[in-house]
Amino acid sequence: MADIISLLPDHVANQIAAGEVIQRPASVVKELLENAIDAKASVVQLFISGAGKTTIQVIDNGIGMSPTDVRLSFERHATSKIKSADDLFSITSKGFRGEALASVAAIAQVEVHTKRAEDEMATSIKISGSKVEDQKVSVAPTGTSIAVKNLFYNVPARRNFLKSDKVELRHIIDEFQRVALTHPETKFTFLQNGSELFNLPAVNFRKRIANTFGNKFEEKLIPVEEMTTFAGIEGFVVKPEFAKKSRGQQFFFVNKRFIRSPFLNHAVTAAFQGLLRDQYHPGYFIYIQVDPKSIDINIHPTKTEIKFEDEQNLYAIIKSMIKHSLGMFQAAPVLDFGRDPSLDTPYDLQQNPISNMPSIEVNSSFNPFQNSEIAISESSKKNWESLYSGLEIPTEYPNSEEELKLSIDQAPKVFQLLRKFIVTSTRSGLLVIDQKRAHQRVLYEKFLSSITKRDMVSQQLIFPEEIELTQQQIALFGELEENLNTMGFVVKQRENHLHITGIPSICSDKQLGQLFEDIFSPAEHEKVTSFSQADYMAKILSKSLSIKGNLSLSVVEQQALVDDLFACKDTLTCPFNRKIFITLDKEELENKLD
Ligand code: ADP
Ligand code: MG
């Protein structure tokens, strides 16, 4: 039999390697930005179109490349940053594996213009699918411009795996922020489809954080610092009362490199223990300097995970450093006077649900004052009917209008179980309803229909609310504005603020802060998949405004919720595709009791 092993051609090897380094447009952004930093640029510009699927371009004013170097830079294992394996332990550059450009060129169409200060003319080169298509002398300023077009154009399977533009853009913003936060001494700009998302001048760490997350952010930071023989640590934590439900403000940088470390994250969380509400995560920006010999960066192709020589020690230092700073901050309550009392309100409500239960917490049609007479609407009746048919219990299916009416009239018996479920009886047995999911369904359909019918009633706020936005939140607001208006919000953007004067009548002003946080939260975006923006908005609002699973409801509210649920178009699943209720029919009960 003939030999069967052959070496893969370079372009195939490159494409395979690309799978590790380049997962999505954001990976390209990261590699190009890091190359610009390594090239000692003081100004770096990022341009994106089509969420990076169409074009990603990075222009820097760094050292540029010679004509031979440009050509070489696209070969695999071609790097100017290390010469031997020993160098791996004294790395000060971002890159060193020499894989990024080769990988990108294997799966996209790449165009480079580059010039060194000492050269008169620039070099331009075009490569696609690892093939050099054109190289020529050209005119360009000192530095490098790399444009990456039609990512994965020749790997349709990978292209199909990309998420929606919104999600891909979110990833790009994340990578951009990580690089920008690591290098405050470099000026960065970021334009997406021609509009500016970030314009970050060269400043210090603290100002860079503020410029990235909104100028008021500076007041939310507490400095932390610790110098030991083995590590130098400095940075900031976010004051506990400004903690977020998302993890979007958690940054560790080791020797000027963003890293992920669940272990060190745990150290921070431990230091915050007792200071955060349930499900809230601490925010932090921690810069760690250690001897490059004491870490291994080369354990992961994207270099976001590293190995420390003495992780335990670092854990202890970080935890005590943060505890110390938080302690100092709390020992000086005068710093706390600016605290916004409304931030605490939702928490109080949850703690003390029965007597304080405001009618606005729930939707208007199950406001106890409006529903003192329990009425079952025509549409509710229909859905009781469809409920039965949906569950296919033919023997119990009511035979006539009278019988249906009878079955409902006899069934307004509801009670709440474990502050989470509403139990009600049907003619055939029991129905156990998840109250939160039911409410989400009701709210979701209300909001969705308000968008199509434009009939949402809005209530004016006595005290208009101001919400500060970051640049990318402003961009997102631009997209959502129209739907927010049809849903009953009266919102205007003023520079970097939202000015809110009206809200849908089924929402309370106390819920507003949380609601807008959810609308703009990247974590929510990841979780909520949608086929349209209206659907997305209705989902986010229903999730944010729904009663939670630990709220006592009065009998009237319970009944109203059940009625509202069965007036919905879909009564079986919540907007996030989870079952709303289960049934236990006579037969099952009898079987169980057998
Ligand atoms: P690595 O960064 O790991 O060395 P890359 O594939 O990212 O590998 O880049 C290969 C080489 O191309 C780099 O080592 C560098 O010499 C050169 N290079 C890449 N981008 C730039 C740039 N923006 N300016 C100057 N040189 C660059
Ligand atoms: Mg690189």
Side-chain angles (χ1 to χ4, degrees):
M1 195 175 152
D3 297 334
I4 51 172
I5 297 181
S6 64
L7 284 175
L8 290 174
D10 269 358
H11 70 276
V12 179
N14 282 340
Q15 229 187 60
I16 294 169
E20 282 200 336
V21 190
I22 310 297
Q23 278 108 30
R24 50 176 14 125
S27 333
V28 177
V29 169
K30 169 182 192 278
E31 296 297 336
L32 296 186
L33 291 177
E34 290 190 343
N35 279 347
I37 297 292
D38 283 344
K40 304 191 171 50
S42 61
V43 180
V44 180
Q45 300 167 273
L46 168 64
F47 301 87
I48 296 291
S49 66
K53 297 170 190 168
T54 322
T55 313
I56 299 163
Q57 185 178 21
V58 171
I59 303 181
D60 68 55
N61 64 349
I63 58 173
M65 285 177 267
S66 73
T68 326
D69 280 351
V70 197
R71 190 74 175 234
L72 259 182
S73 70
F74 288 95
E75 297 292 327
R76 202 138 58 97
H77 310 307
T79 179
S80 56
K81 298 168 194 173
I82 57 172
K83 301 261 182 261
S84 73
D86 287 348
D87 295 347
L88 275 176
F89 298 95
S90 55
I91 284 168
T92 51
S93 56
K94 313 280 116 201
F96 55 82
R97 295 167 62 119
E99 298 181 311
L101 291 187
S103 300
V104 172
I107 47 165
Q109 294 152 346
V110 182
E111 210 175 310
V112 184
H113 306 280
T114 185
K115 187 182 98 64
R116 299 182 300 177
E118 66 261 42
D119 297 333
E120 203 154 304
M121 299 303 284
T123 311
S124 297
I125 184 168
K126 272 191 192 171
I127 302 186
S128 63
S130 295
K131 279 201 197 63
V132 178
E133 297 192 326
D134 189 24
Q135 175 163 359
K136 61 181 186 222
V137 174
S138 64
V139 178
T142 299
T144 304
S145 152
I146 303 192
V148 175
K149 295 191 175 148
N150 304 321
L151 191 66
F152 299 130
Y153 78 102
N154 54 352
V155 204
R158 300 293 301 277
R159 201 171 165 91
N160 292 340
F161 259 103
L162 294 178
K163 298 267 165 54
S164 69
D165 282 7
K166 202 165 58 201
V167 172
E168 294 302 338
L169 182 61
R170 184 64 242 168
H171 283 286
I172 291 175
I173 290 173
D174 283 347
E175 291 296 353
F176 173 84
Q177 286 182 340
R178 288 167 189 166
V179 179
L181 287 168
T182 325
H183 298 279
E185 70 287 351
T186 310
K187 177 183 159 77
F188 287 92
T189 57
F190 177 175
L191 272 84
Q192 129 96 357
N193 294 338
S195 62
E196 189 175 84
L197 290 190
F198 292 91
N199 186 341
L200 308 175
V203 282
N204 61 15
F205 277 141
R206 189 183 183 114
K207 282 266 182 293
R208 175 56 53 93
I209 297 170
N211 290 340
T212 309
F213 289 101
N215 285 325
K216 278 215 181 132
F217 204 75
E218 227 181 314
E219 300 157 24
K220 302 180 185 171
L221 300 174
I222 304 174
V224 295
E225 193 180 355
E226 190 69 67
M227 292 295 152
T228 70
T229 49
F230 129 96
I233 308 175
E234 59 176 339
F236 302 91
V237 292
V238 178
K239 292 178 186 173
E241 69 264 36
F242 298 111
K244 297 253 182 211
K245 273 186 164 172
S246 71
R247 295 175 178 274
Q249 292 172 355
Q250 302 191 328
F251 296 87
F252 280 117
F253 304 94
V254 176
N255 294 1
K256 297 219 136 201
R257 186 186 294 283
F258 168 83
I259 59 139
R260 285 171 219 282
S261 170
F263 184 69
L264 296 184
N265 175 65
H266 192 273
V268 182
T269 311
F272 270 86
Q273 202 181 14
L275 297 174
L276 298 179
R277 290 177 250 167
D278 239 21
Q279 293 179 4
Y280 279 69
H281 303 290
Y284 54 84
F285 304 84
I286 296 177
Y287 301 86
I288 304 172
Q289 285 289 337
V290 289
D291 184 343
K293 286 198 200 68
S294 74
I295 51 172
D296 187 353
I297 320 171
N298 199 22
I299 58 171
H300 193 264
T302 60
K303 307 181 218 93
T304 48
E305 281 159 41
I306 65 175
K307 225 161 67 202
F308 292 96
E309 211 171 71
D310 197 349
E311 216 172 30
Q312 299 293 339
N313 217 343
L314 203 54
Y315 183 101
I317 297 170
I318 289 177
K319 183 174 159 189
S320 76
M321 164 190 86
I322 295 176
K323 272 199 136 157
H324 179 76
S325 284
L326 287 172
M328 290 212 323
F329 159 70
Q330 282 184 341
V334 65
L335 287 176
D336 210 19
F337 279 169
R339 188 184 171 106
D340 176 357
S342 71
L343 283 169
D344 298 331
T345 318
Y347 187 51
D348 291 348
L349 286 179
Q350 281 188 13
Q351 294 293 303
N352 193 1
I354 304 168
S355 56
N356 275 355
M357 165 70 191
S359 54
I360 33 213
E361 258 285 300
V362 293
N363 106 44
S364 62
S365 58
F366 91 98
N367 175 330
F369 302 105
Q370 285 175 11
N371 286 284
S372 44
E373 279 172 273
I374 299 163
I376 293 168
S377 64
E378 277 307 308
S379 56
S380 301
K381 278 186 212 163
K382 280 215 193 70
N383 279 288
W384 276 99
E385 200 172 343
S386 68
L387 164 69
Y388 282 106
S389 57
L391 293 171
E392 288 170 76
I393 315 171
T395 49
E396 296 299 326
Y397 193 91
N399 291 319
S400 63
E401 273 290 308
E402 280 77 3
E403 224 182 299
L404 172 67
K405 194 166 183 332
L406 191 70
S407 89
I408 293 166
D409 287 346
Q410 288 173 347
K413 302 168 205 114
V414 290
F415 69 93
Q416 201 183 17
L417 192 66
L418 303 168
R419 295 204 294 171
K420 191 171 184 334
F421 305 104
I422 296 170
V423 182
T424 181
S425 61
T426 68
R427 246 175 45 142
S428 61
L430 266 191
L431 212 58
V432 182
I433 302 171
D434 182 310
Q435 67 186 43
K436 177 173 153 193
R437 291 180 193 170
H439 194 206
Q440 285 178 345
R441 165 55 60 188
V442 170
L443 289 175
Y444 170 77
E445 293 203 1
K446 277 225 159 93
F447 280 116
L448 205 60
S449 83
S450 77
I451 292 178
T452 30
K453 291 197 213 135
R454 301 181 171 257
D455 64 351
M456 188 56 93
V457 182
S458 101
Q459 54 171 328
Q460 216 179 341
L461 289 178
I462 304 170
F463 304 105
E465 287 265 346
E466 293 273 332
I467 292 179
E468 200 192 342
L469 297 184
T470 61
Q471 283 308 109
Q472 71 268 33
Q473 286 175 336
I474 290 174
L476 182 59
F477 174 73
E479 288 175 31
L480 304 180
E481 186 173 6
E482 203 192 323
N483 277 336
L484 278 171
N485 288 335
T486 49
M487 286 171 151
F489 289 94
V490 187
V491 196
K492 288 258 157 347
Q493 184 205 330
R494 291 189 184 157
E495 290 174 357
N496 61 344
H497 280 89
L498 288 188
H499 186 74
I500 306 169
T501 50
I503 57 176
S505 55
I506 58 175
C507 144
S508 132
D509 57 345
K510 298 211 173 59
Q511 297 171 303
L512 208 54
Q514 184 62 54
L515 177 66
F516 273 81
E517 187 169 303
D518 287 346
I519 292 177
F520 291 118
S521 153
E524 297 302 316
H525 290 211
E526 296 274 305
K527 275 185 254 162
V528 177
T529 52
S530 284
F531 49 86
S532 72
Q533 199 199 88
D535 175 64
Y536 166 77
M537 288 296 293
K539 278 182 180 160
I540 290 266
L541 292 182
S542 71
K543 191 168 171 192
S544 192
L545 297 175
S546 64
I547 49 169
K548 305 294 178 261
N550 57 356
L551 191 66
S552 292
L553 300 176
S554 71
V555 174
V556 177
E557 289 161 350
Q558 293 166 30
Q559 183 64 51
L561 179 55
V562 173
D563 293 346
D564 278 353
L565 173 65
F566 290 107
C568 282
K569 287 205 180 80
D570 174 356
T571 55
L572 298 178
T573 57
C574 78
F576 309 97
N577 254 332
R578 320 272 306 262
K579 236 188 248 174
I580 293 177
F581 58 83
I582 54 152
T583 55
L584 264 181
D585 61 30
K586 189 158 152 261
E587 210 170 294
E588 282 174 278
L589 287 170
E590 282 169 353
N591 279 343
K592 279 197 199 306
L593 288 167
D594 206 9

